[in-house]
Amino acid sequence: MTIDTTPMPPERLLELDDVHVHFSMREGLVKAVNGVSYHVDRGEVLGIVGESGSGKSVTARAIMRLLAKNAIQASGHIRFRPEQGKEVEISSLPRDGRKMRELRGGHIGMIFQEPMTALSPVHSIGTQIMRTVMLHKRVGKEAARARAIELLEKVQLPKPSEMVDRYPHQLSGGMRQRAMIALALSCDPALLIADEPTTALDVTTEAQILELLKSLQEEMGMAIVFITHNFGVVADIADRVAVMYLGRIVETGSVDDIFYQPKHPYTRALLQSIPRLGQAPVHRLKTIPGMVPDPFNAPRGCSFHPRCAYSVAGRCDVYAPDVKRFPDDQSARCHLAGELPEEVVL
Amino acid sequence: MSRTETMPSMPEDALISVSGLKKYFPVTRGWLQRQVGEVKAVDDVSFNIRRGETFGLVGESGSGKSTVARLILRAYMLTGGSIKFRRGDGSVVDLSDLSDREMRPVRREMQMVFQDPYSSLDPRMTLLDIVGEPLVIHGVGSKGEIRDRVGELLGLVGLRPEYAVRYPHAFSGGQRQRIGIARALALNPSFIAADEAVSALDVSVAAQNINLLQDLQEKFGLTYLFITHDLGMVEHISDRIGVMYVGRLVELGDTAEIFEKPLHPYTEALLSAVPQPDPRRRESGRRIVLKGEIADPANPPTGCTFHPRCPYATDLCKKEVPELRPVRGRQVRCHYAEELDLAGVGA
């Protein structure tokens, strides 16, 4: 695999270029990620939204090189710049090699939806953080423990000096999520990948965790890739948004453009199907007809055309659309983007 | 039924009237299972569900909302209180003192739709067996009639009647939820309790199923108890709501009124915590982030159970348990319901 010779712009932290991830299964080949390109700048929050099966988590795992054994990373480049000047092509590193292990946990942290399964049940919170710190920072036990306590305080857990010796089962869901954030941030990563971190939480706890992530992001200046299916959460935390459908990014743009001037029919339809608080009562919710097609036989042409209200026969069902670009870095993968009838979205 | 005569009257328009509902679960310790305490999962909950309306119960996990639904359907025995249900023939029965045998015919009129469409359908049964099972259990119809009815029910929820021979694994989450709805409709119930019925689904699919539930309600005059933690959904579907916190109702009333101007600080905090699909709201910064976590029902705080997290709490709140009392046409459990000026949602 040849490394792209054009260097990334200075503000760029992570760049994905035409990434494909396929899974070979008994039933056939699943193209879970089918040509995804996005980038993350230093210190920004990129929200990735999509329904289940859109490939948003698989893409994130490809960045961490944590894909299952039957995954085939077919093609594409993932580049990451841990420090100024040094560019690493993650996609060409061996997944269990020294460099990748240094990046994983050291420069890129990750938090998951279900902290109970992501944390070890047989080690205390402190031990888990200390191991990461000792591995990446080469410090002694005492220093690592002090760092663990400092981190637990940072994520606003009560009584951090006691909490450090607790086990995950002794904590509530919200506290576990805080502990996992502390673990992911233990080595001051430049990038945090958050995969549905608030989905399993109650709204009041979700609000707490979102506020915490926002304040930590401000304080530590890391970039966040925030994966979620909840448009409300994205509106709250993201600077830019990428919308995924069936293994592709169908639209990207600033958070305001995505919410107030969506260019792709899928983004529009999704936004219209959410009941909003305080909205004048509507009789029926708008829906998207049909369901996400199964990935073994994705539709020809634009993969959204069977469910799209604007689909043009002979065009959308035959030719896969290219990416159309708009001002302010907004882009949409749709033949009709920019030509759709004006609609009041809000 | 002489029993029905002696009971205190229930409002004419009510289908279900719950009063003083209690469910305490024992906390046991040791191999002798000695009881060392109790969890008041539901404590003195009263409300009416009017015929043909959708009543929403909201609250966080551990608030007791699912337990209320299970008590109404008599999946649990209640510790105290009464549940009156108006049957199809107009008679009123108190479900709390029916035997299992007496309960059986009443069960035909009340059904449930569950949250998890994966674990609530037996993977080894075909749709014919799953949707037809209530008919078999209640001895309704011959084999051929059951087959026809199942086909009809599948059609009602937007699935093809030919699917009756298939197994649940062949269907997506949203479709499975529809299968559960078809099963609930099999015996022509008047009441359906939906416990987080769309919470596990993707947005576009959840919207489809919500619309389906509303269509069915119109078509058959169904009454719903809709339990969810999704406040956007509950605002959309419910006529009236009850807000629960640690086993108790803290606010009860008309949905639109509560959302516009909550009278209980917990309702206010819940509403402000919901992430809104509207990035411009970020600047307004009106979100109230509650301190701490929901109280442990086995060891609840003194006074008002919400006081440790309440931004408006005073000494009175620490000492005295507020009663659920009528305030401006609603029921509110807060000492300061009249004085506080709380923010709702909307413009």
Side-chain angles (χ1 to χ4, degrees):
Chain A
M1 210 176 275
T2 53
I3 291 189
D4 199 335
T5 42
T6 50
M8 300 198 289
E11 72 279 7
R12 194 84 6 124
L13 181 66
L14 174 80
E15 201 164 270
L16 276 73
D17 182 23
D18 198 29
V19 172
H20 291 255
V21 181
H22 301 169
F23 291 90
S24 90
M25 320 233 320
R26 212 170 31 182
E27 299 91 331
L29 194 69
V30 179
K31 295 180 177 169
V33 177
N34 207 355
V36 163
S37 307
Y38 62 71
H39 64 88
V40 184
D41 289 342
R42 254 166 224 291
E44 82 169 343
V45 182
L46 174 71
I48 299 190
V49 268
E51 296 181 275
S52 12
S54 61
K56 49 195 195 307
S57 296
V58 175
T59 315
R61 274 156 209 258
I63 299 170
M64 285 294 257
R65 302 299 306 277
L66 283 175
L67 290 166
K69 285 265 162 60
N70 64 339
I72 309 158
Q73 188 154 352
S75 62
H77 304 284
I78 302 174
R79 290 188 291 169
F80 179 67
R81 180 153 50 203
E83 295 148 47
Q84 278 309 330
K86 275 200 252 170
E87 232 177 84
V88 189
E89 172 142 353
I90 289 182
S91 46
S92 64
L93 294 175
R95 55 186 276 160
D96 49 0
R98 192 170 178 166
K99 185 72 194 164
M100 195 59 231
R101 281 161 60 198
E102 189 191 310
L103 290 175
R104 195 189 290 132
H107 297 278
I108 311 176
M110 186 158 180
I111 55 177
F112 302 88
Q113 177 173 348
E114 201 7 272
M116 199 59 210
T117 50
L119 293 170
S120 161
V122 297
H123 298 101
S124 69
I125 302 291
T127 312
Q128 297 184 49
I129 298 177
M130 282 160 66
R131 282 194 178 166
T132 313
V133 174
M134 283 156 69
L135 178 74
H136 289 287
K137 300 262 176 195
R138 300 176 202 282
V139 293
K141 255 191 163 164
E142 286 305 307
R145 190 180 161 87
R147 172 79 178 142
I149 294 173
E150 182 198 330
L151 283 160
L152 294 178
E153 193 169 357
K154 215 174 209 169
V155 296
Q156 295 159 23
L157 276 169
K159 299 182 196 145
S161 50
E162 289 173 31
M163 211 49 90
V164 74
D165 295 315
R166 297 273 175 85
Y167 291 83
H169 74 266
Q170 294 171 307
L171 309 183
S172 69
M175 284 157 85
R176 264 183 233 139
Q177 200 55 273
R178 285 171 194 270
M180 191 157 69
I181 294 171
L183 177 59
L185 298 183
S186 55
C187 301
D188 291 314
L191 176 68
L192 176 70
I193 299 176
D195 190 357
E196 305 255 11
T198 60
T199 305
L201 305 174
D202 277 315
V203 274
T204 58
T205 317
E206 176 176 70
Q208 290 174 348
I209 297 291
L210 288 175
E211 291 301 316
L212 173 70
L213 280 173
K214 282 198 273 186
S215 75
L216 288 172
Q217 199 252 344
E218 215 160 275
E219 185 189 332
M220 304 171 66
M222 76 251 180
I224 302 180
V225 173
F226 199 104
I227 300 166
T228 179
H229 66 273
N230 187 333
F231 270 100
V233 172
V234 166
D236 192 51
I237 199 165
D239 301 315
R240 282 193 309 119
V241 180
V243 182
M244 287 190 75
Y245 185 73
L246 222 62
R248 282 208 173 92
I249 289 188
V250 295
E251 181 162 9
T252 50
S254 71
V255 69
D256 284 356
D257 283 342
I258 292 289
F259 279 84
Y260 304 126
Q261 286 166 29
K263 295 276 193 280
H264 198 285
Y266 179 62
T267 316
R268 284 189 175 194
L270 275 182
L271 283 168
Q272 286 168 344
S273 63
I274 338 172
R276 288 155 196 266
L277 285 187
Q279 191 188 40
V282 282
H283 184 58
R284 288 172 69 86
L285 293 172
K286 287 215 170 161
T287 61
I288 305 178
M291 50 184 181
V292 180
D294 93 67
F296 296 108
N297 34 38
R300 256 173 64 113
C302 169
S303 53
F304 186 59
H305 87 262
R307 306 177 71 192
C308 181
Y310 305 102
S311 171
V312 178
R315 189 173 180 199
C316 300
D317 54 353
V318 182
Y319 307 105
D322 287 325
V323 176
K324 278 198 187 176
R325 301 195 183 278
F326 297 93
D328 295 324
D329 226 1
Q330 187 177 10
S331 63
R333 196 184 276 275
C334 173
H335 291 301
L336 303 166
E339 300 159 26
L340 292 176
E342 278 302 314
E343 260 183 82
V344 185
V345 175
L346 263 180
Chain B
M1 293 248 221
S2 59
R3 201 186 283 131
T4 57
E5 311 303 327
T6 56
M7 277 196 310
S9 65
M10 95 191 238
E12 213 29 65
D13 59 350
L15 181 77
I16 289 176
S17 176
V18 171
S19 88
L21 194 63
K22 287 191 181 80
K23 177 67 189 175
Y24 299 168
F25 290 103
V27 178
T28 56
R29 189 168 292 160
W31 61 278
L32 279 175
Q33 296 286 290
R34 190 165 45 91
Q35 187 173 341
V36 294
E38 54 194 6
V39 174
K40 297 183 176 179
V42 174
D43 198 13
D44 199 12
V45 166
S46 307
F47 58 86
N48 295 320
I49 303 179
R50 297 177 191 149
R51 201 180 312 181
E53 82 167 348
T54 300
F55 181 78
L57 264 186
V58 293
E60 296 177 274
S61 24
S63 62
K65 55 192 192 306
S66 293
T67 310
V68 169
R70 278 155 202 254
L71 286 168
I72 290 177
L73 292 168
R74 278 277 306 266
Y76 293 144
M77 289 306 289
L78 31 164
T79 310
S82 75
I83 302 161
K84 274 168 265 165
F85 178 69
R86 195 184 303 275
R87 298 200 54 187
D89 58 9
S91 66
V92 174
V93 286
D94 189 343
L95 304 184
S96 59
D97 51 37
L98 292 188
S99 68
D100 284 351
R101 204 194 157 117
E102 290 169 314
M103 188 63 206
R104 222 177 137 125
V106 184
R107 285 233 159 86
R108 294 174 60 159
E109 300 176 32
M110 37 199 340
Q111 292 289 324
M112 184 141 177
V113 177
F114 298 91
Q115 169 172 13
D116 184 353
Y118 290 86
S119 62
S120 59
L121 302 177
D122 188 329
R124 289 174 298 185
M125 286 164 78
T126 62
L127 298 204
L128 176 65
D129 298 332
I130 291 171
V131 179
E133 194 173 31
L135 300 165
V136 175
I137 288 173
H138 287 274
V140 185
S142 65
K143 256 189 170 169
E145 284 165 353
I146 289 177
R147 182 163 299 133
D148 293 344
R149 174 76 177 139
V150 169
E152 182 193 338
L153 288 163
L154 290 177
L156 275 177
V157 297
L159 295 172
R160 283 199 218 135
E162 304 92 88
Y163 290 168
V165 293
R166 299 200 191 169
Y167 291 87
H169 73 83
F171 297 91
S172 69
Q175 289 176 320
R176 284 178 201 221
Q177 199 57 268
R178 286 164 182 257
I179 299 167
I181 295 170
R183 174 174 62 186
L185 290 173
L187 294 161
N188 286 321
S190 57
F191 171 75
I192 290 181
D195 188 359
E196 302 275 11
V198 296
S199 305
L201 305 177
D202 275 318
V203 266
S204 70
V205 183
Q208 290 174 0
N209 283 10
I210 284 290
N211 286 343
L212 171 68
L213 283 171
Q214 288 186 308
D215 291 345
L216 293 169
Q217 180 168 42
E218 261 168 44
K219 197 162 184 176
F220 299 110
L222 295 168
T223 304
Y224 290 143
L225 171 61
F226 196 83
I227 292 168
T228 184
H229 63 269
D230 183 338
L231 288 137
M233 219 38 116
V234 97
E235 185 191 27
H236 175 72
I237 198 170
S238 311
D239 302 300
R240 290 187 310 127
I241 57 166
V243 182
M244 289 190 72
Y245 189 74
V246 204
R248 288 188 174 151
L249 276 175
V250 296
E251 187 159 359
L252 175 70
D254 179 79
T255 311
E257 282 174 23
I258 290 182
F259 275 65
E260 199 191 321
K261 186 146 185 58
L263 294 176
H264 195 285
Y266 179 63
T267 317
E268 181 193 39
L270 262 188
L271 291 175
S272 89
V274 179
Q276 290 286 304
D278 184 359
R280 280 183 203 134
R281 272 174 183 258
R282 257 196 256 186
E283 279 87 58
S284 61
R286 282 191 308 169
R287 178 184 280 176
I288 300 162
V289 178
L290 288 178
K291 302 165 280 181
E293 295 179 340
I294 188 167
D296 176 5
N299 187 16
T302 58
C304 171
T305 43
F306 186 58
H307 89 256
R309 306 177 74 189
C310 181
Y312 312 103
T314 65
D315 279 346
L316 175 69
C317 306
K318 288 178 196 161
K319 287 181 210 134
E320 243 174 77
V321 182
E323 293 294 318
L324 191 69
R325 60 203 170 86
V327 182
R328 290 184 219 156
R330 278 180 239 173
Q331 303 278 321
V332 188
R333 192 188 286 278
C334 174
H335 293 303
Y336 298 105
E338 287 91 350
E339 289 108 273
L340 291 174
D341 182 25
L342 304 177
V345 291

